[in-house]
Amino acid sequence: MEKKELNMKKKVLVTEVNPGMIEERANVSLILENGDQLISETKKAQQQIAELKQTLDHIEHFIPVFHYSK
């Protein structure tokens, strides 16, 4: 069976809290579980940027050649 990814959105309620009300600050660590996918997409984007720069450079230095026709 093929595994399919679903985009699930969670609603988060953020309320303003006066720091004086908190006796101890909470330590929170976030761990990116799909970092390899982010790195892969970043590398693809960098490759595409390099290719586009090369294409733009060719366009910028393009020398048109015409021939005369009757």
Side-chain angles (χ1 to χ4, degrees), residues 14-18 21:
V14 178
T15 59
E16 189 173 325
V17 178
N18 182 346
M21 297 172 57

Side-chain angles (χ1 to χ4, degrees), residues 3-61:
K3 183 178 178 182
K4 294 183 180 179
E5 290 186 35
L6 299 175
N7 290 332
M8 301 180 83
K9 295 182 180 181
K10 294 182 182 179
K11 291 186 179 182
V12 178
L13 177 62
V14 178
T15 59
E16 189 173 325
V17 178
N18 182 346
M21 297 172 57
I22 302 173
E23 292 179 18
E24 291 184 34
R25 296 206 180 262
N27 290 325
V28 177
S29 297
L30 298 176
I31 299 169
L32 183 61
E33 292 185 4
N34 59 346
D36 55 337
Q37 184 180 359
L38 177 61
I39 290 169
S40 175
E41 293 301 321
T42 302
K43 286 181 180 180
K44 285 181 198 175
Q46 289 172 334
Q47 179 63 37
Q48 290 174 345
I49 289 168
E51 291 170 3
L52 286 171
K53 283 183 179 179
Q54 184 179 21
T55 301
L56 288 172
D57 186 54
H58 288 158
I59 291 170
E60 187 177 74
H61 296 96

